[in-house]
Amino acid sequence: MATAPPPPRTTVGNLCLGSAPDSWGVWFPEDEHQVPYTRFLDELVRAGYAWLELGPYGYLPTDPQRLKAELDARGLKVSGGTAFGALHRPEAWDEMLAHVRQVAALTAAAGAHHLVFIPPMYRDEKTGAFTESPELTAEQWAGFGRAADRLGRLLLDEYDVRLVIHPHADSHLQTQAEIERLLNESDSRYTNLCLDTGHVAYGGGDNLDLIRRFGERVGYVHIKQMDPEILAQVAAEGLSFGEAVRRGVCVSPPAGVPNPADVVAELARLGAELFVIVEQDLYPCAPEVPLPIAIGTREHLAGCGLSGTRRPNIDR
């Protein structure tokens, strides 16, 4: 007699799903277009998430006890912190480090062990004006990996927090070649990758190829999708990322690229314990927009095997 096939898997055991303020249209510590943090937290729970990334420092409470009280009251846990800074500007190191220390201290106090580090954009988020050259000089590139390792070692030694560098549209870490250069010129003990699937796609990269070839350097994941038609407009019209977001470049699954099911399957093959944090850039958006998107996204990703029920064992 033929054996019945096994039931489909409903969870991928090594991956843990969460979300972030970005999915509620939050880009800044304070902004008139953003919902209050209490609404974000309440709606995060209503959408079915148990894990969150902290988002821009100052949006959520920065006092550890107040933050803990807000999270505990809702049964929420922290996957990691978020910091912004330039690794290619040695003259700005002290200012950058002061900011990163604040984020790292809050992240550690919240019981999390990852700091998502986002390089600055060379175009203004709101106006699209260029604020810096899109290309780094050879001298700036020469120090990029060393600066990342210096920061990563400090975070690990002093806060038990692991540095994961986040590629970003309109930044100097956007294309696959730039991502690979950083990984090849840095030390896996101190510097690893926050694979943001949407920003990799925005920069013309191949997420699945990066996972297959650099899987041991993927320490954290942001999962999002981009609309190919609007990506074509970006290329044809020279749009800034801010304008692309206003046109709706970030879309809900299963629309857009890359296919989240393919990403989840490839990440599952790594066997590594990873947070996979939903992001859908929505700034600016009406207050009622994010919640139904968050619910639909969680339900779709659950169908791909992503669950947020337990904390991964952090080993990188």
Side-chain angles (χ1 to χ4, degrees):
M1 184 173 64
T3 303
R9 294 180 67 184
T10 57
T11 61
V12 177
N14 61 312
L15 307 177
C16 184
L17 182 66
S19 192
D22 181 60
S23 295
W24 267 256
V26 175
W27 277 10
F28 307 100
E30 295 182 31
D31 188 273
E32 61 183 357
H33 299 296
Q34 297 175 175
V35 297
Y37 81 84
T38 51
R39 178 167 179 168
F40 159 65
L41 293 177
D42 290 341
E43 292 191 354
L44 188 71
V45 174
R46 289 178 60 192
Y49 294 92
W51 292 89
L52 74 149
E53 193 175 298
L54 293 176
Y57 184 78
Y59 176 66
L60 292 173
T62 57
D63 175 75
Q65 293 305 314
R66 184 178 171 199
L67 177 63
K68 184 178 187 301
E70 295 280 12
L71 300 180
D72 287 351
R74 296 170 174 85
L76 292 168
K77 295 162 283 189
V78 176
S79 62
T82 316
F84 300 80
L87 295 173
H88 65 287
R89 300 178 195 154
E91 72 281 2
W93 174 267
D94 290 343
E95 180 181 359
M96 179 273 291
L97 184 57
H99 164 64
V100 171
R101 282 187 180 279
Q102 289 180 312
V103 176
L106 185 62
T107 300
H113 296 275
H114 288 100
L115 189 142
V116 178
F117 186 88
I118 302 175
M121 297 166 65
Y122 51 72
R123 298 182 72 168
D124 186 88
E125 295 100 323
K126 295 183 179 180
T127 68
F130 282 87
T131 57
E132 193 174 2
S133 169
E135 303 291 335
L136 293 183
T137 66
E139 182 180 8
Q140 288 171 322
W141 262 120
F144 203 98
R146 291 195 302 272
D149 286 344
R150 180 184 174 191
L151 180 61
R153 184 169 186 169
L154 182 152
L155 291 173
L156 193 59
D157 289 348
E158 298 189 23
Y159 299 95
D160 192 25
V161 166
R162 288 155 177 80
L163 176 68
V164 283
I165 307 287
H166 180 299
H168 201 286
D170 286 354
S171 84
H172 299 109
L173 196 66
Q174 175 177 220
T175 68
Q176 184 156 337
E178 291 163 346
I179 296 167
E180 292 187 15
R181 180 167 185 173
L182 171 65
L183 295 176
N184 287 327
E185 296 182 6
S186 60
D187 189 327
S188 62
R189 293 175 297 174
Y190 308 122
T191 301
N192 286 294
L193 178 66
C194 170
L195 180 76
D196 186 296
T197 61
H199 285 283
V200 169
Y202 193 100
D206 184 332
N207 281 279
L208 301 185
D209 178 63
L210 282 170
I211 296 169
R212 289 166 187 153
R213 293 196 297 115
F214 293 92
E216 73 284 355
R217 302 296 297 276
V218 177
Y220 194 93
V221 179
H222 283 172
I223 193 162
K224 64 162 65 94
Q225 301 75 231
M226 298 291 182
D227 184 329
E229 292 187 6
I230 297 180
L231 290 181
Q233 295 172 22
V234 170
E237 302 176 39
L239 302 180
S240 69
F241 181 62
E243 176 58 28
V245 169
R246 286 188 286 274
R247 293 192 187 188
V249 70
C250 292
V251 291
S252 304
V257 293
N259 178 3
D262 293 340
V263 171
V264 171
E266 206 63 51
L267 290 171
R269 292 188 185 100
L270 295 178
E273 303 281 339
L274 294 169
F275 283 111
V276 181
I277 304 301
V278 174
E279 284 197 330
Q280 184 169 340
D281 292 293
L282 293 172
Y283 178 89
C285 68
E288 67 274 9
V289 167
L291 179 58
I293 292 175
I295 293 171
T297 298
R298 183 192 57 75
E299 291 174 345
H300 181 87
L301 293 176
C304 298
L306 274 175
S307 172
T309 58
R310 68 181 186 87
R311 181 198 184 99
N313 295 317
I314 304 304
D315 58 3
R316 59 175 171 167

